[in-house]
Amino acid sequence: MATWWRLCVCSLGILLAPCSLSAVAPVFIDVLGPRGQGIELACRSAGWFPKPELQWVGKNGKNQAMEIVTKVTQDRENLYSVVSHVTVTEGEDNGDISCIVQNGLLDSERRSAIHLSRDAFPRVSAWLAAFWILFAVVPIAAGAYAYREYSAKRKASQKKRSEEEAVFIHKTEMITLETECRKLHEKIDRVVREQDFRRARSYMVPVTLDQKCKHPKLTLSADGRTVWHNPPSQWLAAPSGLRIAVGKEGFLAREGHDKEAGACRVYWEVEVGDSPDWVLGVLSRTVRQKVTLQRLESFLDWGFWVLRRSEGQYHPREANTVIQSWSVKPTVVGVYLDLEGGSLSFYSVNSMALILEIPVKVSEELFPFLSPGYAEGRDQEKPLSICPPSDWDFPQKLGVSGSVIQGDPTAPAQPPAPKKGEGTENDTGPPTTGETAPAAAYCPAPGNEQVNENSTGASV
């Protein structure tokens, strides 16, 4: 509780000096707790007049050299309060710490002291230090490990991507190479097929049909290269028998012939156009005699080597498989008879490609023949024509029907009627009432018609 002193000097009601007032108050020290490596103390006192002074005194009365923060305030009664904070660290001068508040007017003071032992100061544990070290080191190590793993995965991903790109490039190159190889093989195969066809065509010979060796219902052109059916007659019954026309020229394999001269190899071409029914090939002399005597009723199992089309299908079956795979059907068929090699081959002149090869083993003379095909009740079939021998560079043009004609391609397809005595060697020939017969059409030379490539054909 504050103590007041009042001193008044008065004389007979005369004020000789003003009254003087002073006050002091007790001092308290509070321990606020650890702060950093020391202990924070607070000294407080309230109710002083005039303004007091505060100081911290350590062991042996020495002033503390630590950082001291002191704050003095004044209330409404003009009394002063003082608060001061100090942090005491462990040292040799530790012991009693005193807080002294002085009144300069009365030359009086109040103090408060506290004793601090070494045990009161905070200690840093070795385990705590190790913990903080580990706490700092572990995240760093974990970060380093994670970065290393990330780098390793990134390198592995880049390596895998590079390998995949290399594999992709390799596969692309392989596909490109395979494509180029396939195209090269196709080109080589096409060249080989064309060379084989050109070699066969180099043996082209003229072939004409025999007026004396044909069915009575067939008519031949004046040049003996075209054959067609007579118009149906309402008054005469159609003769029976196989409707074929046989060539004049026969070919026989001779022993000891000149192989270099190629006497046993012949080639001719037949224009079949888009007719759905026809038969062509070679037959033996024995069969030819039957045709001459009109004793041949049907195709025999012997003495015939043929390629046939019936209702749009080709026979034998292997020929149909080959032709149906092409985008362009043959309108001109080349026939190559190799008596030395013992084979008969059929070629598509449009595609310069082989259709069919048949083995031929016979000692008899062989003759070309044609059959335009016929079905009862059907309109007159389209004619078949043997192409005249021509050079590759012979100028020709395609007609509307696929045939190749000389001169104006829009000219009529039928020439004038045959002259008297030509093509009328039997009483069943074309009537003499002004009707005209189909003319011989000229066949195309390979190279003048552009044909799409297919699996077995070739561009010509």
Side-chain angles (χ1 to χ4, degrees), residues 213-218 229 239-246 279 283 287 290-292 294-300 304 306 308 369-374:
C213 188
K214 68 178 183 61
H215 191 274
K217 291 298 294 182
L218 296 179
H229 282 280
S240 62
L242 194 61
R243 300 186 182 189
I244 64 175
V246 184
V279 184
L283 50 77
V287 177
K290 290 181 177 294
V291 176
T292 304
Q294 300 183 14
R295 296 178 179 177
L296 188 63
E297 297 295 330
S298 62
F299 288 104
L300 304 176
F304 281 99
V306 302
R308 179 167 60 95
F369 80 91
L370 300 179
S371 175
Y374 180 78

PDB file of all heavy atoms in Angstrom, residues 213-218 229 239-246 279 283 287 290-292 294-300 304 306 308 369-374:
ATOM      1  N   CYS A 213     -15.023 -78.565-145.172  1.00  0.00           N
ATOM      2  CA  CYS A 213     -14.969 -79.258-143.879  1.00  0.00           C
ATOM      3  C   CYS A 213     -15.624 -78.383-142.817  1.00  0.00           C
ATOM      4  O   CYS A 213     -14.953 -77.757-141.994  1.00  0.00           O
ATOM      5  CB  CYS A 213     -13.524 -79.583-143.527  1.00  0.00           C
ATOM      6  SG  CYS A 213     -13.362 -80.652-142.070  1.00  0.00           S
ATOM      7  N   LYS A 214     -16.947 -78.311-142.872  1.00  0.00           N
ATOM      8  CA  LYS A 214     -17.716 -77.503-141.919  1.00  0.00           C
ATOM      9  C   LYS A 214     -19.126 -78.057-141.846  1.00  0.00           C
ATOM     10  O   LYS A 214     -19.575 -78.831-142.711  1.00  0.00           O
ATOM     11  CB  LYS A 214     -17.742 -76.033-142.332  1.00  0.00           C
ATOM     12  CG  LYS A 214     -18.521 -75.779-143.600  1.00  0.00           C
ATOM     13  CD  LYS A 214     -18.545 -74.313-143.925  1.00  0.00           C
ATOM     14  CE  LYS A 214     -19.408 -74.065-145.174  1.00  0.00           C
ATOM     15  NZ  LYS A 214     -20.809 -74.469-144.997  1.00  0.00           N
ATOM     16  N   HIS A 215     -19.850 -77.632-140.833  1.00  0.00           N
ATOM     17  CA  HIS A 215     -21.250 -78.023-140.698  1.00  0.00           C
ATOM     18  C   HIS A 215     -22.077 -77.267-141.736  1.00  0.00           C
ATOM     19  O   HIS A 215     -21.828 -76.085-142.014  1.00  0.00           O
ATOM     20  CB  HIS A 215     -21.743 -77.705-139.285  1.00  0.00           C
ATOM     21  CG  HIS A 215     -23.065 -78.292-138.955  1.00  0.00           C
ATOM     22  ND1 HIS A 215     -24.246 -77.659-139.267  1.00  0.00           N
ATOM     23  CD2 HIS A 215     -23.411 -79.465-138.350  1.00  0.00           C
ATOM     24  CE1 HIS A 215     -25.267 -78.392-138.867  1.00  0.00           C
ATOM     25  NE2 HIS A 215     -24.783 -79.506-138.304  1.00  0.00           N
ATOM     26  N   PRO A 216     -23.114 -77.910-142.285  1.00  0.00           N
ATOM     27  CA  PRO A 216     -23.923 -77.248-143.320  1.00  0.00           C
ATOM     28  C   PRO A 216     -24.592 -75.961-142.857  1.00  0.00           C
ATOM     29  O   PRO A 216     -24.874 -75.082-143.678  1.00  0.00           O
ATOM     30  CB  PRO A 216     -24.968 -78.310-143.687  1.00  0.00           C
ATOM     31  CG  PRO A 216     -24.337 -79.612-143.318  1.00  0.00           C
ATOM     32  CD  PRO A 216     -23.484 -79.335-142.118  1.00  0.00           C
ATOM     33  N   LYS A 217     -24.863 -75.815-141.570  1.00  0.00           N
ATOM     34  CA  LYS A 217     -25.526 -74.610-141.074  1.00  0.00           C
ATOM     35  C   LYS A 217     -24.555 -73.468-140.815  1.00  0.00           C
ATOM     36  O   LYS A 217     -24.964 -72.417-140.317  1.00  0.00           O
ATOM     37  CB  LYS A 217     -26.297 -74.923-139.802  1.00  0.00           C
ATOM     38  CG  LYS A 217     -27.521 -75.804-140.010  1.00  0.00           C
ATOM     39  CD  LYS A 217     -28.534 -75.134-140.920  1.00  0.00           C
ATOM     40  CE  LYS A 217     -29.140 -73.890-140.297  1.00  0.00           C
ATOM     41  NZ  LYS A 217     -30.170 -73.270-141.160  1.00  0.00           N
ATOM     42  N   LEU A 218     -23.297 -73.661-141.123  1.00  0.00           N
ATOM     43  CA  LEU A 218     -22.301 -72.608-140.946  1.00  0.00           C
ATOM     44  C   LEU A 218     -21.913 -72.047-142.303  1.00  0.00           C
ATOM     45  O   LEU A 218     -21.848 -72.777-143.302  1.00  0.00           O
ATOM     46  CB  LEU A 218     -21.056 -73.148-140.234  1.00  0.00           C
ATOM     47  CG  LEU A 218     -21.248 -73.652-138.809  1.00  0.00           C
ATOM     48  CD1 LEU A 218     -19.931 -74.166-138.247  1.00  0.00           C
ATOM     49  CD2 LEU A 218     -21.832 -72.577-137.919  1.00  0.00           C
ATOM     50  N   HIS A 229     -23.428 -68.563-138.235  1.00  0.00           N
ATOM     51  CA  HIS A 229     -24.577 -69.418-138.479  1.00  0.00           C
ATOM     52  C   HIS A 229     -25.429 -68.849-139.601  1.00  0.00           C
ATOM     53  O   HIS A 229     -25.576 -67.630-139.737  1.00  0.00           O
ATOM     54  CB  HIS A 229     -25.437 -69.543-137.213  1.00  0.00           C
ATOM     55  CG  HIS A 229     -24.892 -70.489-136.196  1.00  0.00           C
ATOM     56  ND1 HIS A 229     -25.047 -71.851-136.277  1.00  0.00           N
ATOM     57  CD2 HIS A 229     -24.173 -70.257-135.060  1.00  0.00           C
ATOM     58  CE1 HIS A 229     -24.461 -72.411-135.235  1.00  0.00           C
ATOM     59  NE2 HIS A 229     -23.914 -71.471-134.493  1.00  0.00           N
ATOM     60  N   PRO A 239     -29.837 -79.515-139.998  1.00  0.00           N
ATOM     61  CA  PRO A 239     -29.085 -80.775-139.938  1.00  0.00           C
ATOM     62  C   PRO A 239     -28.504 -80.974-138.552  1.00  0.00           C
ATOM     63  O   PRO A 239     -28.172 -80.027-137.849  1.00  0.00           O
ATOM     64  CB  PRO A 239     -27.999 -80.587-140.997  1.00  0.00           C
ATOM     65  CG  PRO A 239     -28.470 -79.462-141.856  1.00  0.00           C
ATOM     66  CD  PRO A 239     -29.299 -78.585-140.967  1.00  0.00           C
ATOM     67  N   SER A 240     -28.414 -82.228-138.180  1.00  0.00           N
ATOM     68  CA  SER A 240     -27.818 -82.540-136.892  1.00  0.00           C
ATOM     69  C   SER A 240     -26.305 -82.558-137.010  1.00  0.00           C
ATOM     70  O   SER A 240     -25.746 -82.444-138.098  1.00  0.00           O
ATOM     71  CB  SER A 240     -28.322 -83.904-136.400  1.00  0.00           C
ATOM     72  OG  SER A 240     -27.925 -84.916-137.317  1.00  0.00           O
ATOM     73  N   GLY A 241     -25.646 -82.705-135.876  1.00  0.00           N
ATOM     74  CA  GLY A 241     -24.194 -82.774-135.870  1.00  0.00           C
ATOM     75  C   GLY A 241     -23.585 -81.580-135.176  1.00  0.00           C
ATOM     76  O   GLY A 241     -24.244 -80.582-134.839  1.00  0.00           O
ATOM     77  N   LEU A 242     -22.288 -81.686-134.944  1.00  0.00           N
ATOM     78  CA  LEU A 242     -21.529 -80.640-134.245  1.00  0.00           C
ATOM     79  C   LEU A 242     -21.203 -79.515-135.213  1.00  0.00           C
ATOM     80  O   LEU A 242     -20.633 -79.743-136.286  1.00  0.00           O
ATOM     81  CB  LEU A 242     -20.243 -81.237-133.671  1.00  0.00           C
ATOM     82  CG  LEU A 242     -19.499 -80.385-132.647  1.00  0.00           C
ATOM     83  CD1 LEU A 242     -20.361 -80.126-131.427  1.00  0.00           C
ATOM     84  CD2 LEU A 242     -18.207 -81.088-132.245  1.00  0.00           C
ATOM     85  N   ARG A 243     -21.585 -78.309-134.861  1.00  0.00           N
ATOM     86  CA  ARG A 243     -21.439 -77.169-135.762  1.00  0.00           C
ATOM     87  C   ARG A 243     -20.056 -76.535-135.574  1.00  0.00           C
ATOM     88  O   ARG A 243     -19.873 -75.626-134.777  1.00  0.00           O
ATOM     89  CB  ARG A 243     -22.538 -76.151-135.494  1.00  0.00           C
ATOM     90  CG  ARG A 243     -23.917 -76.746-135.697  1.00  0.00           C
ATOM     91  CD  ARG A 243     -25.008 -75.725-135.578  1.00  0.00           C
ATOM     92  NE  ARG A 243     -26.321 -76.366-135.724  1.00  0.00           N
ATOM     93  CZ  ARG A 243     -27.463 -75.707-135.831  1.00  0.00           C
ATOM     94  NH1 ARG A 243     -27.457 -74.373-135.801  1.00  0.00           N
ATOM     95  NH2 ARG A 243     -28.603 -76.351-135.962  1.00  0.00           N
ATOM     96  N   ILE A 244     -19.108 -77.037-136.383  1.00  0.00           N
ATOM     97  CA  ILE A 244     -17.753 -76.519-136.341  1.00  0.00           C
ATOM     98  C   ILE A 244     -17.251 -76.336-137.757  1.00  0.00           C
ATOM     99  O   ILE A 244     -17.773 -76.943-138.707  1.00  0.00           O
ATOM    100  CB  ILE A 244     -16.797 -77.452-135.562  1.00  0.00           C
ATOM    101  CG1 ILE A 244     -16.667 -78.792-136.278  1.00  0.00           C
ATOM    102  CG2 ILE A 244     -17.264 -77.615-134.124  1.00  0.00           C
ATOM    103  CD1 ILE A 244     -15.650 -79.702-135.628  1.00  0.00           C
ATOM    104  N   ALA A 245     -16.226 -75.477-137.880  1.00  0.00           N
ATOM    105  CA  ALA A 245     -15.527 -75.275-139.147  1.00  0.00           C
ATOM    106  C   ALA A 245     -14.052 -75.536-138.897  1.00  0.00           C
ATOM    107  O   ALA A 245     -13.475 -74.996-137.946  1.00  0.00           O
ATOM    108  CB  ALA A 245     -15.752 -73.865-139.675  1.00  0.00           C
ATOM    109  N   VAL A 246     -13.441 -76.360-139.796  1.00  0.00           N
ATOM    110  CA  VAL A 246     -12.058 -76.801-139.609  1.00  0.00           C
ATOM    111  C   VAL A 246     -11.154 -76.071-140.599  1.00  0.00           C
ATOM    112  O   VAL A 246     -11.564 -75.762-141.732  1.00  0.00           O
ATOM    113  CB  VAL A 246     -11.950 -78.326-139.805  1.00  0.00           C
ATOM    114  CG1 VAL A 246     -10.543 -78.815-139.507  1.00  0.00           C
ATOM    115  CG2 VAL A 246     -12.958 -79.039-138.912  1.00  0.00           C
ATOM    116  N   VAL A 279     -16.312 -72.094-129.147  1.00  0.00           N
ATOM    117  CA  VAL A 279     -15.316 -73.132-128.882  1.00  0.00           C
ATOM    118  C   VAL A 279     -14.217 -72.969-129.922  1.00  0.00           C
ATOM    119  O   VAL A 279     -14.509 -72.738-131.109  1.00  0.00           O
ATOM    120  CB  VAL A 279     -15.914 -74.557-128.978  1.00  0.00           C
ATOM    121  CG1 VAL A 279     -14.862 -75.601-128.592  1.00  0.00           C
ATOM    122  CG2 VAL A 279     -17.145 -74.690-128.102  1.00  0.00           C
ATOM    123  N   LEU A 283      -8.027 -80.095-133.557  1.00  0.00           N
ATOM    124  CA  LEU A 283      -8.534 -81.462-133.552  1.00  0.00           C
ATOM    125  C   LEU A 283      -7.644 -82.314-134.448  1.00  0.00           C
ATOM    126  O   LEU A 283      -6.886 -81.801-135.285  1.00  0.00           O
ATOM    127  CB  LEU A 283      -9.997 -81.515-133.986  1.00  0.00           C
ATOM    128  CG  LEU A 283     -10.416 -80.793-135.288  1.00  0.00           C
ATOM    129  CD1 LEU A 283     -10.021 -81.550-136.535  1.00  0.00           C
ATOM    130  CD2 LEU A 283     -11.912 -80.524-135.265  1.00  0.00           C
ATOM    131  N   VAL A 287     -10.686 -86.932-136.476  1.00  0.00           N
ATOM    132  CA  VAL A 287     -11.906 -86.178-136.187  1.00  0.00           C
ATOM    133  C   VAL A 287     -12.280 -85.319-137.382  1.00  0.00           C
ATOM    134  O   VAL A 287     -13.470 -85.138-137.709  1.00  0.00           O
ATOM    135  CB  VAL A 287     -11.716 -85.327-134.921  1.00  0.00           C
ATOM    136  CG1 VAL A 287     -12.952 -84.476-134.656  1.00  0.00           C
ATOM    137  CG2 VAL A 287     -11.424 -86.212-133.713  1.00  0.00           C
ATOM    138  N   LYS A 290     -14.361 -87.141-139.833  1.00  0.00           N
ATOM    139  CA  LYS A 290     -15.744 -87.273-139.388  1.00  0.00           C
ATOM    140  C   LYS A 290     -16.535 -86.011-139.691  1.00  0.00           C
ATOM    141  O   LYS A 290     -17.720 -86.055-140.041  1.00  0.00           O
ATOM    142  CB  LYS A 290     -15.792 -87.583-137.891  1.00  0.00           C
ATOM    143  CG  LYS A 290     -15.288 -88.981-137.529  1.00  0.00           C
ATOM    144  CD  LYS A 290     -15.388 -89.201-136.027  1.00  0.00           C
ATOM    145  CE  LYS A 290     -14.957 -90.607-135.650  1.00  0.00           C
ATOM    146  NZ  LYS A 290     -15.883 -91.658-136.186  1.00  0.00           N
ATOM    147  N   VAL A 291     -15.881 -84.841-139.501  1.00  0.00           N
ATOM    148  CA  VAL A 291     -16.567 -83.586-139.805  1.00  0.00           C
ATOM    149  C   VAL A 291     -16.865 -83.512-141.302  1.00  0.00           C
ATOM    150  O   VAL A 291     -17.960 -83.087-141.723  1.00  0.00           O
ATOM    151  CB  VAL A 291     -15.706 -82.394-139.338  1.00  0.00           C
ATOM    152  CG1 VAL A 291     -16.373 -81.085-139.752  1.00  0.00           C
ATOM    153  CG2 VAL A 291     -15.514 -82.421-137.834  1.00  0.00           C
ATOM    154  N   THR A 292     -15.896 -83.915-142.120  1.00  0.00           N
ATOM    155  CA  THR A 292     -16.093 -83.879-143.575  1.00  0.00           C
ATOM    156  C   THR A 292     -17.260 -84.760-143.990  1.00  0.00           C
ATOM    157  O   THR A 292     -18.072 -84.395-144.856  1.00  0.00           O
ATOM    158  CB  THR A 292     -14.798 -84.316-144.286  1.00  0.00           C
ATOM    159  OG1 THR A 292     -13.718 -83.492-143.864  1.00  0.00           O
ATOM    160  CG2 THR A 292     -14.953 -84.208-145.795  1.00  0.00           C
ATOM    161  N   GLN A 294     -19.742 -85.444-142.115  1.00  0.00           N
ATOM    162  CA  GLN A 294     -20.891 -85.040-141.310  1.00  0.00           C
ATOM    163  C   GLN A 294     -21.348 -86.164-140.372  1.00  0.00           C
ATOM    164  O   GLN A 294     -22.539 -86.418-140.196  1.00  0.00           O
ATOM    165  CB  GLN A 294     -22.044 -84.592-142.212  1.00  0.00           C
ATOM    166  CG  GLN A 294     -21.713 -83.414-143.094  1.00  0.00           C
ATOM    167  CD  GLN A 294     -22.889 -82.950-143.930  1.00  0.00           C
ATOM    168  OE1 GLN A 294     -24.035 -83.332-143.673  1.00  0.00           O
ATOM    169  NE2 GLN A 294     -22.616 -82.115-144.936  1.00  0.00           N
ATOM    170  N   ARG A 295     -20.416 -86.799-139.795  1.00  0.00           N
ATOM    171  CA  ARG A 295     -20.710 -87.897-138.873  1.00  0.00           C
ATOM    172  C   ARG A 295     -20.311 -87.562-137.425  1.00  0.00           C
ATOM    173  O   ARG A 295     -20.266 -88.454-136.585  1.00  0.00           O
ATOM    174  CB  ARG A 295     -19.975 -89.171-139.322  1.00  0.00           C
ATOM    175  CG  ARG A 295     -20.438 -89.699-140.660  1.00  0.00           C
ATOM    176  CD  ARG A 295     -19.638 -90.932-141.049  1.00  0.00           C
ATOM    177  NE  ARG A 295     -20.108 -91.470-142.349  1.00  0.00           N
ATOM    178  CZ  ARG A 295     -19.541 -92.513-142.961  1.00  0.00           C
ATOM    179  NH1 ARG A 295     -18.519 -93.136-142.380  1.00  0.00           N
ATOM    180  NH2 ARG A 295     -20.000 -92.934-144.126  1.00  0.00           N
ATOM    181  N   LEU A 296     -20.022 -86.319-137.156  1.00  0.00           N
ATOM    182  CA  LEU A 296     -19.609 -85.908-135.802  1.00  0.00           C
ATOM    183  C   LEU A 296     -20.808 -85.271-135.114  1.00  0.00           C
ATOM    184  O   LEU A 296     -21.264 -84.187-135.495  1.00  0.00           O
ATOM    185  CB  LEU A 296     -18.434 -84.929-135.863  1.00  0.00           C
ATOM    186  CG  LEU A 296     -17.787 -84.581-134.530  1.00  0.00           C
ATOM    187  CD1 LEU A 296     -17.167 -85.823-133.890  1.00  0.00           C
ATOM    188  CD2 LEU A 296     -16.712 -83.508-134.714  1.00  0.00           C
ATOM    189  N   GLU A 297     -21.324 -85.942-134.087  1.00  0.00           N
ATOM    190  CA  GLU A 297     -22.512 -85.464-133.391  1.00  0.00           C
ATOM    191  C   GLU A 297     -22.200 -84.591-132.180  1.00  0.00           C
ATOM    192  O   GLU A 297     -22.985 -83.730-131.804  1.00  0.00           O
ATOM    193  CB  GLU A 297     -23.361 -86.660-132.944  1.00  0.00           C
ATOM    194  CG  GLU A 297     -23.896 -87.505-134.085  1.00  0.00           C
ATOM    195  CD  GLU A 297     -24.871 -86.731-134.962  1.00  0.00           C
ATOM    196  OE1 GLU A 297     -25.555 -85.822-134.430  1.00  0.00           O
ATOM    197  OE2 GLU A 297     -24.949 -87.015-136.169  1.00  0.00           O
ATOM    198  N   SER A 298     -21.046 -84.822-131.545  1.00  0.00           N
ATOM    199  CA  SER A 298     -20.687 -84.067-130.333  1.00  0.00           C
ATOM    200  C   SER A 298     -19.173 -84.102-130.157  1.00  0.00           C
ATOM    201  O   SER A 298     -18.475 -84.846-130.860  1.00  0.00           O
ATOM    202  CB  SER A 298     -21.389 -84.633-129.098  1.00  0.00           C
ATOM    203  OG  SER A 298     -20.977 -85.976-128.888  1.00  0.00           O
ATOM    204  N   PHE A 299     -18.697 -83.289-129.223  1.00  0.00           N
ATOM    205  CA  PHE A 299     -17.267 -83.270-128.917  1.00  0.00           C
ATOM    206  C   PHE A 299     -16.897 -84.602-128.262  1.00  0.00           C
ATOM    207  O   PHE A 299     -17.535 -85.044-127.301  1.00  0.00           O
ATOM    208  CB  PHE A 299     -16.922 -82.112-127.985  1.00  0.00           C
ATOM    209  CG  PHE A 299     -16.981 -80.780-128.666  1.00  0.00           C
ATOM    210  CD1 PHE A 299     -18.048 -79.928-128.457  1.00  0.00           C
ATOM    211  CD2 PHE A 299     -15.963 -80.375-129.525  1.00  0.00           C
ATOM    212  CE1 PHE A 299     -18.101 -78.701-129.083  1.00  0.00           C
ATOM    213  CE2 PHE A 299     -16.018 -79.142-130.153  1.00  0.00           C
ATOM    214  CZ  PHE A 299     -17.082 -78.307-129.943  1.00  0.00           C
ATOM    215  N   LEU A 300     -15.859 -85.218-128.784  1.00  0.00           N
ATOM    216  CA  LEU A 300     -15.414 -86.502-128.271  1.00  0.00           C
ATOM    217  C   LEU A 300     -14.438 -86.314-127.120  1.00  0.00           C
ATOM    218  O   LEU A 300     -13.884 -85.215-126.917  1.00  0.00           O
ATOM    219  CB  LEU A 300     -14.745 -87.298-129.398  1.00  0.00           C
ATOM    220  CG  LEU A 300     -15.609 -87.518-130.653  1.00  0.00           C
ATOM    221  CD1 LEU A 300     -14.794 -88.243-131.725  1.00  0.00           C
ATOM    222  CD2 LEU A 300     -16.877 -88.297-130.319  1.00  0.00           C
ATOM    223  N   PHE A 304      -9.704 -83.910-129.443  1.00  0.00           N
ATOM    224  CA  PHE A 304     -10.023 -82.488-129.288  1.00  0.00           C
ATOM    225  C   PHE A 304      -9.150 -81.878-128.185  1.00  0.00           C
ATOM    226  O   PHE A 304      -8.950 -82.490-127.130  1.00  0.00           O
ATOM    227  CB  PHE A 304     -11.499 -82.285-128.903  1.00  0.00           C
ATOM    228  CG  PHE A 304     -12.455 -82.385-130.052  1.00  0.00           C
ATOM    229  CD1 PHE A 304     -13.149 -83.557-130.285  1.00  0.00           C
ATOM    230  CD2 PHE A 304     -12.659 -81.308-130.896  1.00  0.00           C
ATOM    231  CE1 PHE A 304     -14.043 -83.659-131.341  1.00  0.00           C
ATOM    232  CE2 PHE A 304     -13.560 -81.399-131.947  1.00  0.00           C
ATOM    233  CZ  PHE A 304     -14.247 -82.585-132.180  1.00  0.00           C
ATOM    234  N   VAL A 306      -9.349 -78.037-126.588  1.00  0.00           N
ATOM    235  CA  VAL A 306     -10.190 -76.854-126.803  1.00  0.00           C
ATOM    236  C   VAL A 306     -10.169 -75.917-125.593  1.00  0.00           C
ATOM    237  O   VAL A 306      -9.843 -76.306-124.474  1.00  0.00           O
ATOM    238  CB  VAL A 306     -11.655 -77.266-127.076  1.00  0.00           C
ATOM    239  CG1 VAL A 306     -11.729 -78.192-128.277  1.00  0.00           C
ATOM    240  CG2 VAL A 306     -12.285 -77.925-125.855  1.00  0.00           C
ATOM    241  N   ARG A 308     -13.291 -73.335-124.284  1.00  0.00           N
ATOM    242  CA  ARG A 308     -14.701 -73.137-124.560  1.00  0.00           C
ATOM    243  C   ARG A 308     -15.310 -72.107-123.626  1.00  0.00           C
ATOM    244  O   ARG A 308     -14.926 -71.999-122.462  1.00  0.00           O
ATOM    245  CB  ARG A 308     -15.447 -74.470-124.408  1.00  0.00           C
ATOM    246  CG  ARG A 308     -16.953 -74.395-124.650  1.00  0.00           C
ATOM    247  CD  ARG A 308     -17.538 -75.795-124.792  1.00  0.00           C
ATOM    248  NE  ARG A 308     -17.305 -76.597-123.588  1.00  0.00           N
ATOM    249  CZ  ARG A 308     -18.187 -76.716-122.603  1.00  0.00           C
ATOM    250  NH1 ARG A 308     -19.342 -76.081-122.662  1.00  0.00           N
ATOM    251  NH2 ARG A 308     -17.914 -77.470-121.560  1.00  0.00           N
ATOM    252  N   PHE A 369      -9.728 -75.319-135.520  1.00  0.00           N
ATOM    253  CA  PHE A 369     -11.167 -75.317-135.785  1.00  0.00           C
ATOM    254  C   PHE A 369     -11.825 -74.233-134.939  1.00  0.00           C
ATOM    255  O   PHE A 369     -11.292 -73.790-133.911  1.00  0.00           O
ATOM    256  CB  PHE A 369     -11.783 -76.690-135.483  1.00  0.00           C
ATOM    257  CG  PHE A 369     -12.049 -76.926-134.015  1.00  0.00           C
ATOM    258  CD1 PHE A 369     -13.268 -76.589-133.436  1.00  0.00           C
ATOM    259  CD2 PHE A 369     -11.069 -77.466-133.196  1.00  0.00           C
ATOM    260  CE1 PHE A 369     -13.507 -76.798-132.085  1.00  0.00           C
ATOM    261  CE2 PHE A 369     -11.300 -77.677-131.845  1.00  0.00           C
ATOM    262  CZ  PHE A 369     -12.520 -77.347-131.281  1.00  0.00           C
ATOM    263  N   LEU A 370     -13.033 -73.833-135.387  1.00  0.00           N
ATOM    264  CA  LEU A 370     -13.838 -72.834-134.682  1.00  0.00           C
ATOM    265  C   LEU A 370     -15.267 -73.334-134.600  1.00  0.00           C
ATOM    266  O   LEU A 370     -15.759 -74.022-135.509  1.00  0.00           O
ATOM    267  CB  LEU A 370     -13.822 -71.485-135.415  1.00  0.00           C
ATOM    268  CG  LEU A 370     -12.477 -70.788-135.624  1.00  0.00           C
ATOM    269  CD1 LEU A 370     -12.685 -69.489-136.394  1.00  0.00           C
ATOM    270  CD2 LEU A 370     -11.804 -70.523-134.304  1.00  0.00           C
ATOM    271  N   SER A 371     -15.952 -72.965-133.522  1.00  0.00           N
ATOM    272  CA  SER A 371     -17.379 -73.238-133.384  1.00  0.00           C
ATOM    273  C   SER A 371     -18.034 -72.025-132.754  1.00  0.00           C
ATOM    274  O   SER A 371     -17.768 -71.698-131.590  1.00  0.00           O
ATOM    275  CB  SER A 371     -17.613 -74.479-132.506  1.00  0.00           C
ATOM    276  OG  SER A 371     -19.008 -74.661-132.283  1.00  0.00           O
ATOM    277  N   PRO A 372     -18.872 -71.290-133.510  1.00  0.00           N
ATOM    278  CA  PRO A 372     -19.497 -70.086-132.947  1.00  0.00           C
ATOM    279  C   PRO A 372     -20.551 -70.378-131.897  1.00  0.00           C
ATOM    280  O   PRO A 372     -21.056 -69.451-131.262  1.00  0.00           O
ATOM    281  CB  PRO A 372     -20.093 -69.389-134.171  1.00  0.00           C
ATOM    282  CG  PRO A 372     -20.245 -70.445-135.181  1.00  0.00           C
ATOM    283  CD  PRO A 372     -19.238 -71.506-134.899  1.00  0.00           C
ATOM    284  N   GLY A 373     -20.931 -71.645-131.682  1.00  0.00           N
ATOM    285  CA  GLY A 373     -21.920 -71.957-130.670  1.00  0.00           C
ATOM    286  C   GLY A 373     -23.330 -71.742-131.169  1.00  0.00           C
ATOM    287  O   GLY A 373     -23.601 -70.845-131.971  1.00  0.00           O
ATOM    288  N   TYR A 374     -24.230 -72.573-130.672  1.00  0.00           N
ATOM    289  CA  TYR A 374     -25.618 -72.455-131.133  1.00  0.00           C
ATOM    290  C   TYR A 374     -26.533 -73.106-130.110  1.00  0.00           C
ATOM    291  O   TYR A 374     -26.204 -74.136-129.523  1.00  0.00           O
ATOM    292  CB  TYR A 374     -25.795 -73.140-132.495  1.00  0.00           C
ATOM    293  CG  TYR A 374     -27.204 -73.055-133.023  1.00  0.00           C
ATOM    294  CD1 TYR A 374     -27.662 -71.889-133.604  1.00  0.00           C
ATOM    295  CD2 TYR A 374     -28.058 -74.148-132.926  1.00  0.00           C
ATOM    296  CE1 TYR A 374     -28.950 -71.813-134.100  1.00  0.00           C
ATOM    297  CE2 TYR A 374     -29.351 -74.081-133.419  1.00  0.00           C
ATOM    298  CZ  TYR A 374     -29.801 -72.898-133.997  1.00  0.00           C
ATOM    299  OH  TYR A 374     -31.085 -72.813-134.469  1.00  0.00           O
TER     300      TYR A 374
END
